[in-house]
Amino acid sequence: MAPQTILLTGGAGFVGANFARLVLRETDHRVVVFDKLTYSGNLENLDGLEAAHGDRYAFVRGDVCDRPAVDAVLDEHRPDAIVHMAAESHVDRSIIDATPFVRTNVIGTQTIVDAIRARLSSERLVHVSTDEVYGDLPLDRPELFFNESSPLAPSSPYAASKAGSDLVVLSAHRTFGIDAVVTRGSNNFGPYQYPEKVIPLFATNLIDGLKVPLYGDGQNVRDWIHVDDHNAGVLAALERGAAGEVYNLGGKNERSNLELTRELLRCFGVGEEMIDHVADRPGHDRRYSIDISKATRELGWSPASDRWEDALESTVRWYRENEAWWRPLKSGEHRAFYERQYGRR
Ligand code: NAD
Ligand code: TYD
């Protein structure tokens, strides 16, 4: 594909920063990150990109709900495509206060759509969503999975706001002909993930000799995908997806939280005495499982990562080697959040 300019919203977050790095490393596209820098947005996630890639990379601070700011970045950089990742992303926070989720995830997506529509231009919009929009599956029916036609049945306020944003995008395609594609990824893991999500939270706790708070019975199942595999799918959707279509991007790698926790404990050579069995998350989804055959067939994409154990170990190594990155994130706002949730620990 000819080099394009990609406007990447939310590019200072976990998935976005890894996407910027992948695109700059593996394609000739230009990347303009547009990010509000909320608690989970961090310019350190993008360190070195300007030095390595010069004019192929730019950063603009802004809010996706701020229409003049969105118009300004579109006018200045005239992107060929928008990859929309900006979001409030943590289920536990959405249970405490859903309003920022509806604002950023729904209104922010509507603002992007309105700005594209008003320009009468032909930017492609890739809306990066989640398998959580389908709700969950029972543990005792392992043969079941969700495909792109499955009904949306979100359980958490986070998932509800993402489902709303998907519908905003798909209806804008139908009504206004906006060139939009939606991806629904499973649970990502890898470097630069904010240490409130389970893998970096548990890994950084274990580095510090602290216990890991496992919710409920630990039997909830997630489908883990390395962030580079997920982002290769997003790029494939940008380059080869059909307008108006949804593509599931899963890792074909389902693990219960207890299995995941045991693997993390093994990486640190410690035993189950390091598990703190805490109260369950309200509305906690039991199992996520998605059929990725459409993305494989139509995008020529499938998750390519090494063995799960190796990918997990190299992720743990990254957190061990990048203490200067995560340690400041586990004080201040993060500590206040956990103290609100569990009391002092
Ligand atoms: P994250 O919380 O690490 O990053 C979110 C980024 O969005 C941050 O840089 C933040 O500053 C920015 N942001 C938030 N509100 C904004 C606003 N109003 N305007 C501009 N920028 C704003 O989240 P993540 O895990 O990197 O997720 C990124 C996207 O990928 C989200 O849309 C999420 O739903 C989707 N996704 C994530 C996963 C996962 O496992 N992490 C899986 C599937 C889909
Ligand atoms: P999380 O990383 O928050 O992702 P999501 O809720 O989007 O799937 O959580 C992944 C799983 O880990 C989920 O089933 C909840 C569980 N979990 C814990 O058991 N303890 C924790 O401290 C956290 C943050 C999550």
Side-chain angles (χ1 to χ4, degrees):
M1 181 184 240
Q4 297 202 336
T5 294
I6 299 172
L7 181 74
L8 173 61
T9 75
F14 160 55
V15 179
N18 281 290
F19 185 77
R21 289 175 183 279
L22 178 91
V23 168
L24 291 167
R25 193 171 65 230
E26 294 188 4
T27 75
D28 294 324
H29 301 322
R30 182 168 176 262
V31 176
V32 178
V33 170
F34 181 76
D35 196 295
K36 185 181 176 184
L37 298 181
T38 66
Y39 79 94
S40 70
N42 184 350
L43 282 180
E44 285 181 37
N45 298 359
L46 299 161
D47 257 2
L49 292 183
E50 200 169 349
H53 301 285
D55 283 353
R56 285 185 58 220
Y57 163 75
F59 176 82
V60 177
R61 186 169 191 178
D63 183 340
V64 288
C65 301
D66 178 352
R67 178 67 188 278
V70 171
D71 284 339
V73 76
L74 290 173
D75 286 342
E76 186 185 346
H77 291 279
R78 306 206 163 271
D80 306 288
I82 301 173
V83 175
H84 179 39
M85 295 196 179
E88 289 292 335
S89 67
H90 189 37
V91 171
D92 293 329
R93 285 177 189 264
S94 79
I95 292 168
I96 291 169
D97 182 7
T99 302
F101 288 73
V102 173
R103 179 184 181 274
T104 288
N105 300 1
V106 183
I107 309 283
T109 301
Q110 184 65 53
T111 306
I112 298 280
V113 163
D114 288 344
I116 295 173
R117 198 186 144 202
R119 293 162 67 78
L120 300 174
S121 54
S122 57
E123 296 99 337
R124 160 151 282 202
L125 173 62
V126 180
H127 176 62
V128 176
S129 191
T130 166
D131 62 357
E132 300 190 31
V133 298
Y134 299 119
D136 66 350
L137 293 164
L139 291 179
D140 60 358
R141 299 286 308 276
E143 75 284 8
L144 295 182
F145 47 79
F146 294 120
N147 64 30
E148 290 81 354
S149 307
S150 299
L152 302 188
S155 308
S156 70
Y158 162 67
S161 67
K162 291 298 290 189
S165 67
D166 289 14
L167 298 179
V168 162
V169 169
L170 293 169
S171 66
H173 167 72
R174 166 84 187 241
T175 304
F176 306 113
I178 284 178
D179 178 7
V181 176
V182 174
T183 63
R184 294 189 178 137
S186 64
N187 281 65
N188 282 225
F189 70 100
Y192 301 107
Q193 188 166 28
Y194 195 86
E196 65 186 353
K197 304 285 168 63
V198 72
I199 290 180
L201 176 70
F202 283 17
T204 56
N205 272 17
L206 290 168
I207 291 170
D208 277 346
L210 299 172
K211 291 188 175 189
V212 298
L214 183 63
Y215 294 164
D217 62 10
Q219 294 308 315
N220 308 65
V221 170
R222 297 293 182 265
D223 173 14
W224 291 101
I225 184 168
H226 192 275
V227 65
D228 285 342
D229 278 342
H230 170 264
N231 284 340
V234 173
L235 188 60
L238 166 66
E239 296 187 341
R240 299 187 288 283
E245 294 296 322
V246 177
Y247 297 96
N248 285 346
L249 304 174
K252 295 202 288 191
N253 183 34
E254 291 180 36
R255 310 277 153 175
S256 75
N257 291 337
L258 185 58
E259 286 170 326
L260 166 69
T261 302
R262 286 184 171 141
E263 285 174 47
L264 287 168
L265 296 178
R266 196 164 47 245
C267 290
F268 287 87
V270 294
E272 301 209 3
E273 69 283 357
M274 293 308 285
I275 300 179
D276 193 0
H277 292 276
V278 298
D280 208 355
R281 170 189 279 173
H284 197 175
D285 278 333
R286 282 309 250 174
R287 171 172 170 252
Y288 297 143
S289 182
I290 49 175
D291 175 9
I292 61 168
S293 57
K294 181 177 175 186
T296 303
R297 198 172 54 246
E298 296 186 16
L299 305 177
W301 169 89
S302 59
S305 254
D306 302 339
R307 275 188 345 125
W308 151 248
E309 289 80 1
D310 297 341
L312 188 65
E313 264 173 35
S314 74
T315 298
V316 166
R317 197 173 324 120
W318 190 89
Y319 289 94
R320 281 191 201 273
E321 290 170 359
N322 289 277
E323 213 171 295
W325 177 85
W326 59 261
R327 196 165 287 289
L329 306 179
K330 284 193 87 173
S331 55
E333 218 276 338
H334 176 90
R335 184 169 295 277
F337 171 73
Y338 272 89
E339 282 176 5
R340 262 199 318 276
Q341 184 151 350
Y342 302 119
R344 192 168 288 276
R345 61 177 57 236

